[in-house]
């Protein structure tokens, strides 16, 4: 395997189950080790848990591009239907944009849960860009999942790690949902897949 | 086997693990070539997603669309007539990328397959019929491959196909990617599978 940085996304249907498991387990091991060293705590004092969209990632706390900013634990905002297509829009409020102390988040991929809706809708987002520490770490193309109607999930061989106290933002690229590109009429149904690593007791105590 | 095999194979007809093997082999080959030709160690390179318009000029033309798109979007994605041009007659190749398109300096783009995104519409009653049967890649003024896109159409939930002979577009190469429209009323739901290899920092810094 070459030594170049890998920043792409692969639909899970194009991977072996063992590859998905390996990517996930390697990411967990890497981030737990990183947190353990930096916090000078043994690994068994760390906990790996699911990401809370609002409390951990400030997901869609910036109202730009949305009908209203979110302040609840939900991945699903309603997009602005007027003028925000064909550009990247940041989803994290400028009041936040820094990872909390003693917390690491690894983003391993994305999931699209439109098909769980009673009335499935269009996915309005084509690309996602993640900025960490002032650098654009990845630009992921979400459209590869469209060919797999019953498995709309994708994973990256090189997860994005947001370390403690580090500035970050997540940008979504809205290409315009309407046929004539004149208006935006879709909702975003995107789950950021990954995990949080932090000391036991900070949020949960398993 | 000494002949160059450029055929497209639906992923449902590949052995388990073969898709990953092709992908990893393609990436390895292009990273090695970029490292050698740019005189950079592999660690200084990044493998990222292709941006359809920004990197390839895809759909920035009125030969396929009524209005040339400047959005990074693989085709229309959205069923309707307004965005899609009805060509004067079917039975022709038309260019799908901007005229006189050349690959950016120090950038390598490799394409190793196609995905048909219409199945993202599996829940809809308006799944369009495909109107593109062949795709032709002209790189450096030579036709490198002609792929038959209809091969994968019978695999409804995985309409994806790859080629073991990837198409590499080197820096500054002139490119034309042409679609064969077999009829009028074009609906483009086609994504190219591939990667960009370039020095870290050109676009992203993982």
């Amino acid at each position: 395997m070459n030594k170049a940085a890998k920043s792409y996304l692969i639909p899970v249907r194009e991977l072996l189950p063992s590859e998905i498991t390996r990517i996930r387990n390697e990411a967990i091991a890497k981030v737990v080790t990183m947190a353990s060293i930096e916090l000078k705590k043994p690994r068994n004092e760390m906990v790996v848990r699911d990401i809370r969209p609002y409390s951990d990632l400030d997901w869609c706390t910036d109202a730009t591009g949305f009908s209203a900013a979110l302040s609840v634990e939900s991945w699903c905002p309603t997009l602005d239907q007027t003028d925000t297509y064909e550009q990247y829009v940041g989803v994290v409020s400028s009041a936040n944009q820094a990872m909390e102390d003693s917390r690491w988040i690894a983003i391993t991929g994305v999931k699209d849960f439109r098909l769980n809706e009673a009335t499935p809708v269009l996915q309005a987002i084509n690309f996602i860009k993640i900025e960490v520490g002032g650098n654009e770490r990845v630009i992921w193309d979400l459209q590869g999942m469209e060919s797999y109607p019953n498995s709309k999930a994708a994973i990256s061989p090189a997860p994005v790690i947001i370390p403690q106290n580090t500035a970050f933002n997540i940008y979504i690229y809205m290409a315009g949902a309407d046929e004539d590109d004149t208006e935006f009429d879709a909702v975003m149904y995107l789950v950021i897949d990954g995990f949080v690593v932090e000391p036991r007791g900070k949020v949960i105590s398993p | 086997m000494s002949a160059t095999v450029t055929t497209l194979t639906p992923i449902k007809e590949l052995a388990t693990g073969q898709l990953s093997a092709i992908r990893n082999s393609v990436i390895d080959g292009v990273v090695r070539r970029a490292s050698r030709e740019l005189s950079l160690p592999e660690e200084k390179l990044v493998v990222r997603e292709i941006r359809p318009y920004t990197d390839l000029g895809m759909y920035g033309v009125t030969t396929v669309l009524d209005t040339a798109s400047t959005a990074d979007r693989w085709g229309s994605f959205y069923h309707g007539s307004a965005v899609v041009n009805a060509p004067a007659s079917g039975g022709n190749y038309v260019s799908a990328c901007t005229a006189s398109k050349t690959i950016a300096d120090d950038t390598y783009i490799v394409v190793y397959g196609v995905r048909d995104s219409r199945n993202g519409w599996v829940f809809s009653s308006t799944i369009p019929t495909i109107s593109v049967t062949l795709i032709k890649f002209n790189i450096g003024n030579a036709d490198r491959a002609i792929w038959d896109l209809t091969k994968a159409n019978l695999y409804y939930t995985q309409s994806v196909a790859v080629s073991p002979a990837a198409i590499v577009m080197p820096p500054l190469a002139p490119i034309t990617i042409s679609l064969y429209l077999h009829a009028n009323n074009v609906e483009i739901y086609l994504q190219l599978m591939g990667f960009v290899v370039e020095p870290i920092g050109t676009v992203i810094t993982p």
Side-chain angles (χ1 to χ4, degrees):
Chain A
M1 181 62 83
N2 66 77
K3 297 174 183 171
K6 297 161 188 62
S7 75
Y8 47 86
L9 205 58
I10 304 172
V12 295
R13 291 293 290 268
E14 295 175 12
L15 291 168
L16 297 174
S18 59
E19 287 179 297
I20 299 168
T21 304
R22 179 184 55 77
I23 289 170
R24 186 173 51 235
N25 290 344
E26 284 181 358
I28 290 174
K30 180 177 180 179
V31 182
V32 168
T33 300
M34 185 184 287
S36 171
I37 291 171
E38 286 193 32
L39 295 177
K40 296 183 171 57
K41 289 177 182 288
R43 294 161 62 100
N44 60 10
E45 286 189 25
M46 298 292 160
V47 63
V48 181
R49 65 168 172 82
D50 282 335
I51 299 171
R52 300 169 300 175
Y54 175 69
S55 300
D56 296 326
L57 272 185
D58 297 299
W59 184 247
C60 298
T61 49
D62 189 324
T64 308
F66 306 108
S67 296
L70 288 182
S71 57
V72 295
E73 303 288 2
S74 168
W75 292 109
C76 186
T78 300
L79 299 177
D80 190 332
Q81 298 184 4
T82 54
D83 59 359
T84 48
Y85 60 92
E86 294 187 10
Q87 59 183 290
Y88 281 102
V89 172
V91 304
V92 180
S93 161
S94 57
N96 305 312
Q97 295 184 358
M99 188 49 58
E100 192 170 312
D101 195 32
S102 302
R103 176 173 293 158
W104 279 254
I105 289 184
I107 298 174
T108 54
V110 294
K111 290 182 169 67
D112 178 334
F113 63 98
R114 279 174 297 151
L115 299 186
N116 275 348
E117 297 297 303
T119 305
V121 296
L122 308 181
Q123 177 58 278
I125 309 304
N126 286 8
F127 283 85
I128 186 169
K129 181 169 73 176
I130 305 175
E131 192 178 86
V132 179
N135 285 323
E136 293 176 0
R137 301 290 175 168
V138 297
I139 297 174
W140 284 343
D141 185 348
L142 309 177
Q143 298 157 100
M145 297 183 289
E146 294 291 325
S147 298
Y148 305 101
N150 55 0
S151 301
K152 288 190 185 299
I155 192 168
S156 172
V160 179
I161 299 169
I162 309 173
Q164 62 168 346
N165 304 314
T166 303
F168 74 97
N169 204 343
I170 299 172
Y171 298 84
I172 54 175
Y173 184 86
M174 303 189 286
D178 198 65
E179 291 87 351
D180 57 4
D181 273 357
T182 56
E183 68 177 51
F184 203 80
D185 59 1
V187 179
M188 181 169 72
Y189 288 87
L190 190 68
V191 175
I192 299 296
D193 205 5
F195 54 87
V196 176
V197 175
E198 61 191 8
R200 187 182 297 268
K202 187 173 173 67
V203 174
I204 58 172
S205 302
Chain B
M1 189 186 299
S2 57
T4 305
V5 179
T6 68
T7 53
L8 205 58
T9 306
I11 62 170
K12 291 279 279 192
E13 296 173 9
L14 295 174
T16 305
Q18 210 175 343
L19 174 57
S20 294
I22 289 173
R23 181 177 55 241
N24 292 337
S25 164
V26 164
I27 293 174
D28 281 350
V30 179
V31 167
R32 272 199 303 271
R33 176 173 171 180
S35 173
R36 187 177 64 245
E37 293 183 356
L38 299 178
S39 299
L40 285 173
E42 292 182 358
E43 296 89 333
K44 300 279 189 186
L45 300 174
V46 62
V47 185
R48 66 165 173 84
E49 311 261 25
I50 299 171
R51 297 169 300 175
Y53 177 74
T54 309
D55 294 324
L56 288 177
M58 289 294 283
Y59 305 115
V61 288
T62 53
T63 49
V64 179
L65 306 180
D66 276 346
T67 304
S69 172
T70 56
D72 276 317
R73 181 169 63 188
W74 290 109
S76 169
F77 267 169
Y78 301 104
H79 183 61
S81 58
V83 79
V84 182
N85 186 44
S89 63
N92 291 302
Y93 281 106
V94 296
S95 174
C97 56
T98 47
S100 305
K101 178 67 182 175
T102 57
I103 301 300
D105 198 16
D106 294 342
T107 297
Y108 294 75
I109 298 180
V110 58
V111 173
Y112 68 99
V114 292
R115 296 188 185 99
D116 182 335
S117 306
R118 285 174 303 143
N119 287 333
W121 285 79
V122 68
F123 47 79
S124 169
S125 61
T126 55
I127 298 174
T129 55
I130 195 162
S131 47
V132 179
T133 52
L134 304 175
I135 185 169
K136 183 168 69 174
F137 295 89
N138 185 294
I139 314 298
N141 298 315
D143 288 340
R144 304 292 174 171
I146 296 174
W147 288 343
D148 181 357
L149 306 175
T150 49
K151 281 181 176 179
N153 280 173
L154 69 161
Y155 300 110
Y156 183 66
T157 58
Q158 291 187 30
S159 193
V160 179
V162 296
S163 171
I167 295 157
V168 180
M169 306 176 209
L172 305 176
I175 65 163
T176 303
I177 300 172
S178 302
L179 307 178
Y180 186 89
L181 311 178
H182 73 86
N184 291 339
N185 301 317
V186 184
E187 298 283 0
I188 308 295
Y189 291 82
L190 188 67
Q191 180 181 11
L192 300 181
M193 296 170 73
F195 303 98
V196 175
V197 177
E198 63 190 8
I200 286 177
T202 305
V203 175
I204 58 171
T205 307

